Amino acid sequence: MPQTIHRGIKALIDEANAEIETVSAADAIKLAGKDDIVIVDIRDPREIERDGKIPGAFSCTRGMLEFWIDPNSPYAKPIFQEDKKFIFHCAGGLRSVLAAKTAQDMGLKPVAHMGGGFAAWRDAGGPIETWEPKKKG
């Protein structure tokens, strides 16, 4: 029997957008590099390798987000314990609004997401750097 989804992705995204601050790519470009701002890239490493990354952005795959934010997790990352504003982005802005809402629901603040994601950053003329994964061995 097929599953019946009662609250689909559109509803989740609409709910998140109603509760989360959205920063435009143009504004994110102006904020990037400030001491009190952390741009969090939640894309998969393969996306970052393929398309490049925002210089100085902190990479955190969506699947590890909750574990890296929670200071009581064995995977906690110190950057999420800092008193800064966290601006999440993904490729197009859908995953990042959900990530920002999750982070906000966990108590991280202030948080926002970059509308339009990495594509909007690129289209707005934001700087991009290449990234290669660390070589094992």
Side-chain angles (χ1 to χ4, degrees):
M1 174 176 194
Q3 296 291 327
T4 302
I5 303 299
H6 299 282
R7 230 170 110 229
I9 193 70
K10 182 178 181 335
L12 293 171
I13 290 169
D14 288 347
E15 291 166 13
N17 271 318
E19 295 182 33
I20 297 300
E21 176 187 358
T22 299
V23 174
S24 71
D27 287 342
I29 290 167
K30 293 174 192 167
L31 293 169
K34 292 190 177 230
D35 288 342
D36 61 343
I37 300 292
V38 177
I39 295 179
V40 182
D41 187 339
I42 63 160
R43 295 176 299 153
D44 182 273
R46 291 169 293 231
E47 292 175 276
I48 298 169
E49 183 178 6
R50 180 188 67 219
D51 299 328
K53 68 177 287 221
I54 295 172
F58 178 75
S59 294
C60 172
T61 61
R62 178 65 187 92
M64 289 303 293
L65 183 66
E66 293 87 344
F67 298 96
W68 286 14
I69 289 174
D70 184 349
N72 295 314
S73 164
Y75 304 105
K77 297 291 184 188
I79 195 165
F80 287 116
Q81 311 316 311
E82 296 178 12
D83 187 20
K84 298 188 179 200
K85 180 174 187 170
F86 298 88
I87 301 173
F88 293 85
H89 86 85
C90 60
L94 300 178
R95 290 173 287 173
S96 60
V97 73
L98 296 176
K101 177 156 184 340
T102 296
Q104 182 172 285
D105 288 350
M106 290 180 73
L108 192 68
K109 60 184 178 183
V111 302
H113 97 104
M114 183 170 60
F118 187 76
W121 173 278
R122 181 189 59 233
D123 293 348
I128 297 171
E129 65 184 16
T130 59
W131 179 82
E132 292 185 25
K134 295 176 185 171
K135 303 288 185 210
K136 292 184 180 180

